[in-house]
Amino acid sequence: MESSGLYSPSPVVPFNETDKAAELGSTTYLVITSNRVTDSQLTTSLWLNTVLGVGCLLLFCVLQATVFPKHYRYRLFSPSVTVKPHRLATEGHKKYWHWLKVALKSAEGDIMRSCGLDAVVMIKSLSMGVKIF
């Protein structure tokens, strides 16, 4: 089957010496025969994920404390919420990290009363994932 000229796939270049390019008709496929991960790939992945994770955490801390304080503390200000969660620090450097201390020290019953069963199930699922991995 000839190419019409509208789409002409570029030739497949193998990733390493064990990979091969297999041709079936006019279509070229890349056949990966090895799934080895090198030390440099693992180190690069570790650093990249660490930088992205820390960046997201810092971005969250800044956004929840300065840009969107009422959005992240809606249950404190809403008149329809009868059982309010713990107050968070709003001044000084504590306003960035106080939420973490409160979240880690909150009892399951307190979370259930102020946030509901959905929040408790989510927290339990996340903590189980941390324990497994």
Side-chain angles (χ1 to χ4, degrees):
M1 182 176 211
E2 290 295 317
S3 176
S4 65
L6 294 175
Y7 173 72
S8 175
S10 59
V12 177
V13 178
F15 292 124
N16 56 40
E17 64 276 352
T18 61
D19 298 337
K20 298 179 177 39
E23 288 198 28
L24 293 172
S26 64
T27 308
T28 304
Y29 297 94
L30 178 63
V31 180
I32 299 176
T33 58
S34 174
N35 60 355
R36 287 181 294 141
V37 177
T38 64
D39 289 343
S40 66
Q41 290 171 331
L42 192 61
T43 305
T44 303
S45 173
L46 178 69
W47 280 109
L48 179 67
N49 286 309
T50 300
V51 167
L52 288 175
V54 169
C56 287
L57 178 66
L58 292 175
L59 182 66
F60 169 76
C61 289
V62 169
L63 289 178
Q64 67 90 20
T66 58
V67 181
F68 302 111
K70 286 192 176 183
H71 176 77
Y72 285 104
R73 295 180 177 110
Y74 178 75
R75 298 182 71 79
L76 290 174
F77 302 112
S78 175
S80 63
V81 176
T82 56
V83 179
K84 305 282 185 188
H86 296 287
R87 284 229 172 257
L88 299 174
T90 56
E91 295 184 12
H93 72 282
K94 276 185 134 181
K95 72 179 176 181
Y96 297 108
W97 302 104
H98 189 240
W99 64 270
L100 185 60
K101 178 183 173 189
V102 171
L104 292 175
K105 296 215 180 223
S106 292
E108 188 176 312
D110 292 341
I111 297 171
M112 178 74 152
R113 281 187 293 282
S114 68
C115 301
L117 182 61
D118 291 348
V120 173
V121 170
M122 185 185 83
I123 290 170
K124 287 291 189 182
S125 300
L126 290 174
S127 65
M128 181 182 67
V130 167
K131 289 177 184 175
I132 289 174
F133 297 106

